[in-house]
């Protein structure tokens, strides 16, 4: 079982460039999330989705967009990358009661914006 | 909004000894879930233990156990017989029951197990 897969694992961008991070889960989970992790800050929620075709803002949504066109995929986009978006990004999925409300995480994407 | 506080940024313990990591949270809800996640140097987030607030019995998973004090809004993690592989960041997290299943994380405690 692959679980939650994030691509790419590493990326370096120049300020102003755009990119999309892909998250795929094979557990048929309804809920999906994007977090960023910065030193000393824990994980902070960027955007999330409670089902196919839905998205909602989390704690730190500015500068990011998301889409959930298919249940198994959750995309995170940076339209114009800024150095402040240098971080490690994690995707997670949750099946609600079917998964005992446990979030399962991908391996993370380390992004550097120069 | 819920908040989660981990007051110990770093801790260390000798191999085979016991260590307790602290976590407090703030909420006005009565039903919720609490979690401890482990993040080793590999960066992968791994669930350690889960507690349902309506259950008075403290959760245990092998060498890991919690002390859940609902009235005090405290959720500490005890690691017994510490092993070198327990070296990691540990995050406490809160989830409201029902709705969007969002997690609110503490800032983490870096645990080092010394040989």
């Amino acid at each position: 079982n692959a679980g939650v897969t994030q691509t790419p694992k590493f990326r370096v961008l120049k300020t102003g460039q755009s990119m999309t991070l892909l998250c795929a889960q094979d557990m048929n989970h309804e809920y999906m999330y994007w977090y960023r992790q910065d030193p000393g800050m824990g994980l902070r929620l960027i955007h999330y989705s409670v089902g196919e075709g839905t998205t909602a803002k989390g704690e730190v949504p500015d500068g990011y967009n998301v889409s959930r066109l298919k249940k198994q995929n959750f995309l995170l986009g940076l339209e114009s990358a800024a150095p402040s978006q240098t971080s490690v990004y994690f995707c997670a999925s949750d099946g609600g009661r079917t998964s005992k409300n446990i979030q399962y995480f991908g391996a993370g994407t380390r992004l550097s914006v120069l | 909004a819920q908040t989660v506080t981990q007051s110990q940024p770093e801790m260390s313990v000798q191999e085979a000894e016991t260590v307790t990591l602290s976590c407090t949270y703030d909420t006005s809800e009565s039903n919720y879930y609490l979690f401890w996640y482990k993040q080793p140097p590999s960066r992968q987030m791994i669930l350690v233990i889960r507690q349902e607030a309506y259950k008075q019995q403290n959760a245990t998973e092998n060498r890991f156990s919690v002390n859940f004090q609902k009235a005090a809004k405290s959720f500490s993690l005890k690691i017994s017989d510490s092993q070198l592989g327990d070296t990691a960041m540990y995050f406490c997290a809160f989830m409201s029951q029902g709705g969007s299943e969002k997690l609110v994380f503490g800032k983490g405690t870096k645990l080092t197990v010394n040989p």
Side-chain angles (χ1 to χ4, degrees):
Chain A
N1 289 337
V4 179
T5 303
Q6 291 183 232
T7 52
K9 289 185 169 49
F10 302 95
R11 186 73 185 269
V12 178
L13 291 179
K14 294 182 179 179
T15 298
Q17 287 185 320
S18 63
M19 77 162 294
T20 300
L21 281 65
L22 171 64
C23 177
Q25 53 96 2
D26 62 1
M27 296 174 282
N28 200 34
H29 285 172
E30 288 293 334
Y31 306 94
M32 296 188 75
Y33 310 85
W34 277 107
Y35 296 91
R36 62 176 289 172
Q37 183 179 21
D38 302 294
M41 296 295 292
L43 278 75
R44 293 181 292 170
L45 184 64
I46 304 171
H47 285 281
Y48 64 99
S49 169
V50 299
E52 181 178 315
T54 75
T55 63
K57 294 180 180 180
E59 180 186 355
V60 288
D62 293 343
Y64 305 94
N65 57 75
V66 288
S67 64
R68 184 127 181 245
L69 300 179
K70 294 183 178 180
K71 186 177 184 179
Q72 64 267 34
N73 296 335
F74 194 31
L75 280 63
L76 178 70
L78 285 73
E79 290 187 348
S80 179
S84 61
Q85 294 177 304
T86 293
S87 188
V88 179
Y89 292 85
F90 286 95
C91 176
S93 73
D94 181 343
R97 289 176 182 258
T98 63
S99 68
K100 295 185 177 181
N101 310 99
I102 295 169
Q103 288 192 14
Y104 294 87
F105 285 79
T109 296
R110 181 175 293 279
L111 174 67
S112 294
V113 182
L114 305 178
Chain B
Q2 290 82 8
T3 58
V4 177
T5 302
Q6 294 179 248
S7 59
Q8 305 149 314
E10 293 191 37
M11 295 187 72
S12 63
V13 64
Q14 292 299 120
E15 196 175 7
E17 293 187 346
T18 295
V19 63
T20 299
L21 280 58
S22 300
C23 173
T24 58
Y25 57 94
D26 187 25
T27 184
S28 59
E29 300 176 13
S30 58
N31 293 319
Y32 46 87
Y33 304 98
L34 295 163
F35 304 85
W36 279 98
Y37 278 88
K38 169 185 176 180
Q39 186 181 42
S42 68
R43 204 170 65 195
Q44 179 69 52
M45 293 287 287
I46 302 165
L47 177 70
V48 175
I49 204 162
R50 166 185 177 272
Q51 175 80 42
E52 296 177 76
Y54 69 88
K55 290 186 176 179
Q56 293 187 346
Q57 186 175 7
N58 289 325
T60 62
E61 288 288 341
N62 300 314
R63 297 182 295 108
F64 299 88
S65 62
V66 298
N67 183 4
F68 173 48
Q69 301 289 329
K70 191 172 184 179
K73 297 180 183 176
S74 172
F75 184 60
S76 61
L77 176 69
K78 186 173 80 171
I79 306 174
S80 303
D81 185 25
S82 297
Q83 300 176 359
L84 297 178
D86 295 333
T87 292
M89 284 290 292
Y90 287 82
F91 293 97
C92 179
F94 173 99
M95 179 190 287
S96 297
Q97 189 176 53
S100 60
E101 307 273 307
K102 293 185 292 182
L103 278 174
V104 177
F105 285 90
K107 294 185 177 181
T109 296
K110 183 178 180 181
L111 176 67
T112 302
V113 180
N114 298 308

